[in-house]
Amino acid sequence: MPPVSVRETVLNNIQSNDVMVFSKTTCPFCNQVKELFKQEGIVYKSLELDKLDNGLQIQDMLFEMSGQKTVPNVFIRGSHVGGCDSTIQAHTDGRLRQLLSPPPAEGYDYDLVVIGGGSGGLAASKEAAKLGKRVAVCDFVKATPKGTTWGLGGTCVNVGCIPKKLMHQAALLGEALKDSKNYGWETPEKVQHNWDTLKNAVQDHIGSLNWNYRVQLRDKSVTYINGYAEFTDRHTIKTVNKRNKVQTFKAEKILLATGMRPRYPDIPGVKEFAITSDDLFSLSYCPGKTLTIGASYVSLECAGFLTGMGLDVTVMVRSILLRGFDQQMADMIGTYMEKHGTHFLRKCVPTRIEQIEEGTPPLLRVYYKKTDDPQEFSIDVNTVLMAIGRDACTSEIGLEKTGVLTNPKNGKIPVVNEQTNVPNIYAIGDIMEGGHELTPVAIEAGKLLSRRLYGDSSRQCDYINVPTTVFTPLEYGAIGYSEEDATDTFGEDNIEVYHAYFQPLEYTVAHRDEAGCYGKIICNKADGDRVVGFHILGPNAGEITQGYAVAMKCGATKEHFDTTIGIHPTCSEVFTTMDVTKASGLDVTTTGC
Ligand code: FAD
Ligand code: NA7
């Protein structure tokens, strides 16, 4: 990804100038456009890319953002007009003047309309209302191909973090049941898991959260519109509810927080027979033998908890596990899961899905091939869970009527401080380019944006050192750089990695596997051994990682870790005693206290 400063340069220029021309001094077409503006008395700002050291990078960024690499590249009030021909055409057909006409000063129904009542949208809308603004939030869930829908609250609450963590907990309890015998509990030999009981309990909890969100909006006087929203222009929103009732209203500012939805591959049978995480947590029957397709965290987490419930689960991996995460940790997760019963089909992609038998669950046949071999194989399963990535919900909200730019590669919206290229339109959460697809990040960005827009705060959302946890059976917590990224960024000679295997005390009496748990920190030697990467694979990694995130926010160094006294006996204490570097090649198996 190009440096943020180039993106900022481009967006700042677009946002702060009514007419912006990215130009080159040697380009006759650029001169033609500037001459036209002069003749028309239109004040413009131009940036001469051939005179700038980072001119080429700006041109690349313009290409990424507008799909146009050539100059002149003209923007009016944030809207992308295009090159010389498009600008002259816009002048001829009157669109230039239309774009330049000032927005109405009043007559708005709302100060802020938020599209998307998920993690980010709800946080922003409640905060803006608290600051005395007239706010509406539009939230609408389009049904999955299987017909699944849900209530207010977005992905996290309904089909993400919350049900996933509860199902992860169900699997952990299964493990604990096995341990319990060694701790003296006379647990019956055959303890069965009941999917319906779990699914109903999870859905009941979600239902109560949906209700709470509605109450909170009402209490804070935020208007909730349960309709699908689209722009008709940059200040006007049209919503359509499930009874096809249309509402139109005007807002001074509009915040986009529409999130992402699962992607389907273009193969026969997929939408008829496969499900996604959007369907899994409310599935009306036990999924049975399951194939999860994709190797990132959604796939691995679902495969992990389904295995933990005693189901026969296979993960189909196209290339590597957990792209974007530290690869040593990713491989260790795979090894652990494989050892604990999850099967892996590596270097494979699905080609088609057929139904062999109807039923709840049905019997499905998934055809697949190896990535380096055209021969087709098949596997019979009851459930296929597609988890091959998620698409930003930005293509069907009328953005073309506003001039808001999206990155054509992933549909995400480039922003500077959450403001898009169109000054009255903002974006947060999963659809924001360069952010993190995590609930707390969306919430923080939404809350802080409202405080900046309507309060007296100037605090920006800090996207650096955001902690995260993958809730695989053995949890993986991470903050900051992966070892690969740290090496690329700081240089191999400047980083030192300290690491250790450890055995949770709870595992000893339970006779659990001793080799799986591991921690490492990555230090930047050129910056006083500052800790730039933190990684832990072990029980409760989420709980452990959160605390170290505070330490890293304070700029913790290796010395800070070393001079901190551990809490014994815990897993987390391993980070206070880590003295073996990876480079030394010494044994790092922990041998008790
Ligand atoms: P969302 O929460 O997705 O909300 C967007 C809302 O906008 C949705 O309700 C959508 O229906 C609505 N909408 C879209 N278009 C329109 C429209 N045109 N009109 C009206 N409404 C519209 N994050 C974590 O931090 N921890 C986790 O453990 C975690 N686990 C996850 C597990 C899974 C299986 C998944 C899929 C995600 C998980 N995430 C997790 C990610 C987290 O859910 C997202 O990062 C977060 O929900 C993003 O918030 P958002 O506000 O951007 O969008
Ligand atoms: P990710 O993080 O986008 O990962 C997608 C995974 O699916 C990754 O392992 C891909 O393999 C694999 N993939 C992609 N296309 C295919 C096809 N056609 N066939 C087989 N495998 C494929 O997706 P997730 O769903 O796990 O999570 C996305 C977001 O959801 C996350 O950031 C949160 O917001 C929640 P690759 O490595 O490219 O070979």
Side-chain angles (χ1 to χ4, degrees):
M1 203 169 64
V4 175
S5 60
V6 176
R7 189 194 305 281
E8 276 179 358
T9 308
V10 171
L11 274 178
N12 279 335
N13 274 291
I14 296 172
Q15 284 165 355
S16 52
N17 297 291
D18 279 351
V19 180
M20 182 65 214
V21 187
F22 294 93
S23 161
K24 283 186 183 170
T25 53
T26 49
C27 161
F29 301 107
C30 299
N31 291 337
Q32 207 179 329
V33 160
K34 287 187 258 186
E35 200 48 47
L36 169 74
F37 288 150
K38 276 183 201 148
Q39 277 168 16
E40 293 295 313
I42 296 171
V43 180
Y44 66 87
K45 158 97 187 286
S46 69
L47 206 60
E48 305 300 336
L49 303 187
D50 55 332
K51 297 286 172 203
L52 298 173
D53 289 345
N54 62 351
L56 279 178
Q57 286 163 284
I58 291 180
Q59 217 170 337
D60 286 343
M61 180 50 74
L62 280 165
F63 179 53
E64 188 182 313
M65 286 168 48
S66 67
Q68 181 191 325
K69 184 139 192 186
T70 53
V71 288
N73 199 339
V74 177
F75 291 80
I76 296 186
R77 284 189 194 277
S79 271
H80 182 228
V81 176
C84 180
D85 287 352
S86 309
T87 308
I88 290 170
Q89 184 60 44
H91 169 59
T92 314
D93 61 25
R95 218 158 35 87
L96 265 194
R97 286 283 162 205
Q98 213 181 327
L99 282 170
L100 276 166
S101 58
E106 51 190 34
Y108 297 122
D109 304 294
Y110 296 101
D111 298 307
L112 177 70
V113 165
V114 179
I115 308 186
S119 309
L122 287 176
S125 61
K126 287 186 284 186
E127 196 64 23
K130 212 164 97 186
L131 291 162
K133 295 295 151 185
R134 294 169 304 156
V135 185
V137 56
C138 315
D139 191 63
F140 188 85
V141 179
K142 283 191 176 174
T144 70
K146 289 281 181 193
T148 314
T149 59
W150 49 89
L152 180 61
T155 302
C156 168
V157 173
N158 295 284
V159 288
C161 333
I162 299 296
K164 161 302 268 305
K165 181 80 189 294
L166 291 171
M167 293 208 171
H168 170 62
Q169 175 64 11
L172 293 183
L173 286 172
E175 285 289 303
L177 265 177
K178 287 183 209 152
D179 289 353
S180 67
K181 286 193 179 36
N182 289 316
Y183 280 94
W185 291 100
E186 292 173 0
T187 321
E189 268 316 308
K190 275 211 162 222
V191 181
Q192 289 294 323
H193 183 262
N194 185 311
W195 172 265
D196 277 350
T197 307
L198 171 66
K199 183 262 298 173
N200 291 340
V202 168
Q203 290 304 317
D204 283 352
H205 179 63
I206 292 172
S208 73
L209 295 176
N210 297 147
W211 172 252
N212 279 343
Y213 284 125
R214 290 184 77 139
V215 172
Q216 283 174 14
L217 291 184
R218 203 183 51 210
D219 287 352
K220 295 200 159 53
S221 303
V222 175
T223 306
Y224 166 47
I225 298 162
N226 185 199
Y228 187 83
E230 259 178 77
F231 285 95
T232 57
D233 64 46
R234 53 178 63 179
H235 286 280
T236 314
I237 300 290
K238 180 183 96 175
T239 60
V240 183
N241 76 6
K242 62 177 177 219
R243 287 183 201 83
N244 283 328
K245 188 179 156 215
V246 177
Q247 261 183 287
T248 303
F249 40 86
K250 286 192 175 292
E252 189 191 8
K253 292 184 169 45
I254 292 162
L255 171 61
L256 300 171
T258 49
M260 301 175 92
R261 291 295 290 269
R263 182 179 305 147
Y264 289 82
D266 188 14
I267 58 168
V270 71
K271 289 203 173 161
E272 294 93 315
F273 305 124
I275 63 165
T276 68
S277 53
D278 280 359
D279 304 292
L280 177 67
F281 305 110
S282 58
L283 203 63
S284 61
Y285 51 83
C286 175
K289 184 178 176 191
T290 301
L291 176 69
T292 72
I293 302 182
S296 199
Y297 84 78
V298 172
S299 180
L300 295 183
E301 288 179 341
C302 294
F305 67 67
L306 293 176
T307 305
M309 290 172 203
L311 301 180
D312 178 350
V313 183
T314 303
V315 182
M316 186 178 285
V317 182
R318 179 168 70 178
S319 56
I320 54 170
L321 300 188
L322 290 176
R323 183 176 295 286
F325 287 87
D326 187 286
Q327 281 304 293
Q328 182 195 6
M329 306 304 287
D331 288 343
M332 289 176 78
I333 290 173
T335 306
Y336 182 93
M337 287 179 69
E338 214 154 2
K339 224 169 155 181
H340 288 78
T342 309
H343 310 291
F344 283 82
L345 277 171
R346 302 216 182 227
K347 301 221 176 304
C348 293
V349 287
T351 50
R352 62 198 160 103
I353 305 174
E354 280 175 4
Q355 184 167 273
I356 309 296
E357 269 172 42
E358 276 186 31
T360 50
L363 183 62
L364 305 172
R365 183 158 296 159
V366 183
Y367 294 87
Y368 65 94
K369 57 181 189 187
K370 302 249 171 205
T371 47
D372 54 3
D373 178 1
Q375 197 188 332
E376 208 173 41
F377 302 88
S378 72
I379 176 172
D380 288 357
V381 292
N382 300 114
T383 297
V384 179
L385 180 102
M386 296 302 315
I388 61 157
R390 297 169 59 80
D391 291 322
C393 301
T394 54
S395 61
E396 291 171 0
I397 52 172
L399 282 185
E400 63 289 352
K401 295 179 186 131
T402 66
V404 169
L405 298 173
T406 56
N407 180 345
K409 279 189 230 145
N410 57 17
K412 292 204 179 196
I413 300 179
V415 294
V416 172
N417 300 333
E418 291 86 27
Q419 188 177 29
T420 72
N421 59 304
V422 174
N424 72 307
I425 302 178
Y426 300 80
I428 53 167
D430 284 4
I431 58 165
M432 193 195 95
E433 176 96 328
H436 300 266
E437 293 164 10
L438 292 168
T439 275
V441 179
I443 292 175
E444 178 83 345
K447 206 169 60 183
L448 294 183
L449 175 65
S450 286
R451 286 186 191 162
R452 289 199 308 277
L453 292 178
Y454 303 120
D456 53 11
S457 167
S458 57
R459 215 176 107 206
Q460 300 290 349
C461 185
D462 182 0
Y463 293 97
I464 309 292
N465 281 340
V466 170
T468 187
T469 292
V470 178
F471 291 96
T472 34
L474 200 53
E475 296 177 9
Y476 164 41
I479 315 166
Y481 287 88
S482 64
E483 206 175 319
E484 295 84 349
D485 286 350
T487 308
D488 286 353
T489 308
F490 304 107
E492 200 174 345
D493 292 343
N494 283 326
I495 65 160
E496 193 77 85
V497 179
Y498 295 85
H499 66 158
Y501 285 95
F502 59 91
Q503 187 190 18
L505 179 66
E506 305 84 286
Y507 284 15
T508 52
V509 168
H511 303 302
R512 284 225 212 163
D513 178 22
E514 291 175 10
C517 301
Y518 177 78
K520 71 174 171 183
I521 54 174
I522 302 158
C523 302
N524 180 5
K525 289 194 275 186
D527 185 19
D529 262 343
R530 195 171 307 285
V531 180
V532 293
F534 172 98
H535 303 269
I536 178 167
L537 185 62
N540 304 308
E543 306 298 339
I544 293 170
T545 305
Q546 184 69 77
Y548 286 99
V550 178
M552 282 176 65
K553 196 146 185 66
C554 298
T557 61
K558 178 71 171 75
E559 195 187 346
H560 289 121
F561 275 58
D562 292 343
T563 53
T564 299
I565 293 176
I567 300 173
H568 190 64
T570 65
C571 295
S572 193
E573 67 180 317
V574 72
F575 288 98
T576 64
T577 54
M578 247 177 213
D579 53 5
V580 178
T581 64
K582 222 179 188 186
S584 73
L586 292 173
D587 180 31
V588 283
T589 314
T590 302
T591 49
C593 50

